[in-house]
Every structure is written in structure tokens, then in C-alpha cells.
Amino acid sequence: MFGYTFQWKQALARLPQMLDGAIVTMQIAVLSMLIGIVLAILLTTFRLSGSRVLGGVATTWVEVARNTPALFQIYMAHFGLGSFGIHLSPYLSLLVGITFNNAGYLAENFRGALKAIPDTQARAGRSLGMTALQSFRHIVMPQMLRIAFLPMTNQMVWAVLMTSLGVTVGMNTDLFGVTQALNALTFRTFELFAIAAVIFYLIVKVIQTAARLIAWRLFRY
Amino acid sequence: MKTSILGAALVAATAFAGAAHADKLDDIISSGILRCAVVLDFPPMGMRDAQNNPIGFDVDYCNDLAAALGVTAEIVETPFPERIPALMAGRVDVGVASTSDTLERAKTVGMSIPYYAFENAVVAREGVEMADWEGMKGKTVGATAGTYEAIWLEGKINEWGEGTFRPYQTQADVFLALSQGQLDATVSTVEVANANVASGNFPGIRVVDKAPMVPDYVSLFTMRQEYGLLNYLNLFVNQQVRTGRYAELYTKWVGEGEPANLSIPGVYR
């Protein structure tokens, strides 16, 4: 029947190593979000540009990012590019994979947010003498980012959770990688992964609370 | 009336006591199925043939064990890092998965006497300057997460203070990474290294040297408290050697030559 004996002390002794891993996890998630937002704005601009080539690039990116598993995207960044002689470290492969995914989802969020902003806003800017770019930058984009703020929070949470896929490409310094390495060494599977789950939960809770506070600041008139 | 109630109670108590004393060995025999965790990307110990059927030393070993128990073997493909979790989760009864008998693992599961012993080889990518195992110093190296050789290799990297260690989830990923150039070198069992170099599936790799490691003794494993089954496994390993089946399987899967001695002079186990 149930033959597992818990050894929490042995697992808790590894907590400092797991917390170091949590810092790496946060680092990757934050970096992938920052780069992802820039790329998503670029992809959104490509779609609005009217150019068939640029629009095609943006659409392909979004389609692949949204319709294939994140694991596939990370694996391809490591082993797929590796087939062509492009070697990314596990850290970079994970970052590239998650950023690719983030950019795709965020571009769709931005597109939705843009649709929610009436055309008259941009036209009002133009009638005040702004160029199209100035009107986009100073009037449309701030509104777009505000509308897309909560979906961005969701994506940030997803980015944190996606870091767990790094083990498939040899990542062993993030929270999941450290946990898996400790598990391979000691096989205190339940205890170690339970602690990791609690840390993941707390990270996500902190992000959600911070987002709620920022949203409260942003959305009050 | 009272006698019949007492009789029924005695029958019930006996049945209950019988059920309470049934152990894993009894469970396997009565279920008619032995579920073995086997790693199938670890040739020649475990792999798949052209028809996708599991084959290899460990697969035959599981079949032999099932035949001895008078039950049917069920091969459960289990990657290296998931061998012991699969047992703890009740997905398999026994691990026949080239599992090194480390003291750390023995805290969690019960291990039989060794049923095989590996030596390890250093495998490098062509173009990487490496004359012997010490050439791995400062290089990017990797191995399958959680294996005996991975633990040794990571320890060496820490001892040298230079170089990078990358753990991959499967043996196939390690050799793919090596073949692609993501890794400069790896350490794997001599059997696996030779099989992978000869297969041609991973072009541009070569065996450089033997790794200076204590032979990697591997054991069958089951739940730590299942003494009945552990005793049976120990006797089974002993029987495999004394009947010549161990040597027979060695010739079939590894090749000509003498299989490694499974006993160590001067110790009981």
C-alpha cells in the first residue's frame, strides 16, 4: 500500500540552494518579459505597417508561438538551432524559448488592446500637429499598455512557470533545475517538489499582488 | 448459533491476517504480472528494435525474473531520473534499470546485490583537443541527470573549479548535444559509448579514454521495506551467475569477453 516515509528535514536542508534557483527563475522571467514586450510592440507595429513582408513575419511568429507547445520552442532553441551549428547555452536557450513565446502572446494582447482604442484618438493627435509616430507613441501606446496590463501580468506568471521546462535542455541553476538535480541525487521526490511548488506559488502571489498595486495606481483617475 | 458466529469470526480473522501479511512478492505472484522499470535509451542494456519492441540486457533480465516468479513481464519504459519516483508512485514493482547502488539512493529504496558492473569511458567530439580524461578540465561537459557518471563528472568540475557541467534528461539528448557541438565531452559506460559510436546515429564522436572511476555496480531495486522480495532478488542474481545465464546475456548483448566480477574480496556484500 502506501510505503513512502517523509523526510522533510533532509529536503529542507536544501532550501538555500532552491532559493538561489528561485532568483535565477525570476531573473529569466523578468528578462524574457522585458525583451518580450519590446518584441511584441515591434510585431504589433509590423502588423500595422501595411507591409506584406513585415506583416507576414509578425503573423508567422504569433501563429507559431501560440499554437505550438512552449517545450517545443525551448527544445528547438537548443537542439533545433544546434543542428545548424548555432549553440546556445541552456540558460540562453530557455530565455530565447520563453521570450519567443512571450512576444507572440503579448503581440496578440497588444493587438486586442489597440482595437479597444477608438481611431479618433490618433486622429485627434494628428489634428494637433503630431506626426503619425508621435501620435502612436504619446497617445495610443500608453493607453494600449494600460489596457494590456492585466494580460501582461498573466504572461509574467506564465513565464515564471515556463522556466520549469529548462531541464529538458540541461538547465540546472533555476528553481526547477536545482530541484530536479537534488531529486536525482537524493530521490526525496515528494518533499523536494512540494517545497519547490510552495516557492513557485509564493513567487506568483508576489507578482499578482505587485500587479494589483500597480494597476490600482495606473487605473485610478 | 454462537459456535457458528465464532467460526465465522475466526475465518474472517484468518483471512484478514493472511491479507495483512501478504507482501510485494505475494502481490506480484498473485497478480501474475511483474512490472519492471527499464531505461530504453541505454543500449545495449535497454533499447528498442526496428519493430519498436523493447530489447537489451535489462529487458532479458526482467523477462528471466518474471519467468522465475512464474508471471508475465511488463516492461515500463522509464527515463533515468524517473526510475525511483516511478517505484515510489507504485507504477512499477522492480527496477531493472542499470541503477548504481549509491548509499544516498539506499536511504530511499532497497537495493539487491549487484547484477552488473560497468566501467566508464570518456567520449569527445571530434575536433576537440583531448588526449585523455584529464582533457575534460575546463571544457563544457554533460551527462544524464542523476546517473553515477553524472554525479562523478559534476564533482570533477567542482574540484577543478573550471569548465561547465550540463545535465540532460536522457542519454539520447546527451549524445545529441555532443554530436551537435553543444558539449565537448561526456562520460558514459563503455558499453553505451561503444554502441553509440558504432551506431552512426551520432556522427563526429569518439571514445577518448577510460574514466578513472570505481566500477559502477548496479542493482535491482524495490521498496525498502519489502524484505521478502529483496531476498528473492538477491537469490535470483546469484542464480543468474551460477547457472551461466549472466555470462550468456553478456555475450548476447555486450559481446565476447568476460563479464565483470560482481563480488568484492574482503566484504560481505
Side-chain angles (χ1 to χ4, degrees):
Chain A
M1 233 185 70
F2 186 68
Y4 196 81
T5 312
F6 296 101
Q7 292 183 6
W8 289 103
K9 242 185 186 173
Q10 202 188 335
L12 281 168
R14 316 285 187 159
L15 189 60
Q17 284 165 269
M18 293 171 81
L19 290 176
D20 285 345
I23 292 170
V24 176
T25 288
M26 279 303 292
Q27 197 183 59
I28 293 175
V30 168
L31 265 178
S32 73
M33 273 305 282
L34 293 177
I35 306 170
I37 288 170
V38 174
L39 286 172
I41 291 171
L42 213 62
L43 292 175
T44 310
T45 321
F46 281 3
R47 280 184 157 188
L48 294 174
S49 69
S51 157
R52 286 182 69 177
V53 177
L54 294 179
V57 168
T59 307
T60 309
W61 186 313
V62 171
E63 287 291 307
V64 176
R66 279 163 45 100
N67 300 319
T68 61
L71 176 63
F72 161 82
Q73 292 155 22
I74 294 163
Y75 203 81
M76 283 301 277
H78 195 69
F79 289 112
L81 294 179
S83 305
F84 300 102
I86 303 165
H87 301 141
L88 302 184
S89 66
Y91 184 97
L92 261 182
S93 303
L94 184 60
L95 182 61
V96 167
I98 298 179
T99 305
F100 178 83
N101 188 285
N102 277 348
Y105 273 91
L106 290 172
E108 273 300 271
N109 290 338
F110 291 167
R111 193 167 70 101
L114 271 182
K115 281 194 168 175
I117 302 167
D119 290 345
T120 45
Q121 296 276 322
R123 265 186 260 144
R126 296 299 300 274
S127 65
L128 289 171
M130 288 181 178
T131 64
L133 192 67
Q134 281 174 328
S135 147
F136 181 75
R137 207 180 123 203
H138 296 296
I139 297 176
V140 179
M141 205 166 74
Q143 294 187 75
M144 178 187 87
L145 289 175
R146 204 168 77 167
I147 296 169
F149 182 77
L150 287 175
M152 277 161 65
T153 310
N154 289 340
Q155 194 60 35
M156 176 67 188
V157 169
W158 178 224
V160 169
L161 303 182
M162 270 194 288
T163 58
S164 61
L165 301 171
V167 287
T168 58
V169 293
M171 184 74 185
N172 62 347
T173 51
D174 66 315
L175 175 56
F176 201 86
V178 168
T179 310
Q180 179 72 318
L182 291 172
N183 176 45
L185 199 66
T186 66
F187 287 108
R188 301 318 307 175
T189 310
F190 184 89
E191 296 90 323
L192 288 167
F193 282 100
I195 293 170
V198 169
I199 299 174
F200 268 118
Y201 182 87
L202 292 176
I203 292 173
V204 169
K205 274 288 153 200
V206 167
I207 292 169
Q208 285 171 343
T209 311
R212 214 162 285 163
L213 285 174
I214 296 168
W216 176 75
R217 285 275 305 167
L218 279 178
F219 298 161
R220 63 183 181 161
Y221 289 94
Chain B
M1 183 69 178
K2 275 181 183 173
T3 319
S4 62
I5 291 171
L6 188 65
L10 272 172
V11 169
T14 314
F16 182 75
H21 283 113
D23 64 1
K24 193 76 186 168
L25 183 58
D26 288 327
D27 291 346
I28 293 167
I29 295 168
S30 56
S31 74
I33 294 171
L34 171 73
R35 299 168 303 161
C36 299
V38 180
V39 181
L40 292 178
D41 71 334
F42 194 57
M45 307 307 281
M47 55 204 163
R48 289 185 182 275
D49 65 10
Q51 284 74 47
N52 216 27
N53 299 312
I55 54 166
F57 187 101
D58 284 346
V59 174
D60 278 358
Y61 215 89
C62 172
N63 288 331
D64 288 354
L65 178 60
L69 287 163
V71 298
T72 310
E74 187 184 306
I75 306 295
V76 181
E77 180 171 9
T78 315
F80 274 115
E82 287 165 28
R83 290 169 298 180
I84 293 175
L87 177 80
M88 305 312 282
R91 285 202 294 121
V92 296
D93 303 310
V94 174
V96 188
S98 304
T99 307
S100 313
D101 56 355
T102 66
L103 288 170
E104 196 67 38
R105 287 171 185 171
K107 289 177 188 167
T108 304
V109 295
M111 307 205 117
S112 74
I113 55 172
Y115 77 99
Y116 196 89
F118 290 105
E119 285 197 295
N120 283 281
V122 174
V123 187
R125 187 164 47 86
E126 277 167 11
V128 174
E129 272 186 39
M130 205 178 287
D132 54 19
W133 72 272
E134 283 181 314
M136 288 193 293
K137 201 172 176 179
K139 303 281 195 309
T140 302
V141 298
T144 315
T147 58
Y148 179 69
E149 56 270 25
I151 294 165
W152 179 83
L153 195 50
E154 193 171 10
K156 277 284 162 207
I157 293 292
N158 292 336
E159 183 188 318
W160 287 330
E162 52 179 315
T164 310
F165 174 76
R166 292 179 187 171
Y168 288 91
Q169 294 303 293
T170 66
Q171 186 89 60
D173 279 350
V174 174
F175 278 91
L176 179 62
L178 182 66
S179 176
Q180 285 188 350
Q182 313 264 17
L183 294 177
D184 296 324
T186 183
V187 171
S188 78
T189 62
V190 171
E191 290 83 347
V192 170
N194 288 334
N196 278 336
V197 170
S199 73
N201 291 333
F202 306 101
I205 61 171
R206 66 196 165 94
V207 175
V208 175
D209 191 12
K210 279 199 173 169
M213 297 161 66
V214 175
D216 179 11
Y217 293 96
V218 296
S219 293
L220 308 175
F221 65 86
T222 189
M223 299 296 274
R224 200 179 63 178
Q225 66 278 18
E226 293 295 341
Y227 299 109
L229 183 53
L230 282 167
N231 280 334
Y232 192 90
L233 293 178
N234 286 339
L235 184 58
F236 173 73
V237 171
N238 191 304
Q239 294 262 6
Q240 288 286 88
V241 177
R242 76 165 97 131
T243 58
R245 181 63 173 160
Y246 173 49
E248 195 182 317
L249 288 179
Y250 183 88
T251 309
K252 180 180 175 187
W253 294 110
V254 183
E256 293 304 318
E258 280 290 303
N261 193 345
L262 298 178
S263 59
I264 302 170
V267 292
Y268 289 105
R269 187 171 182 244

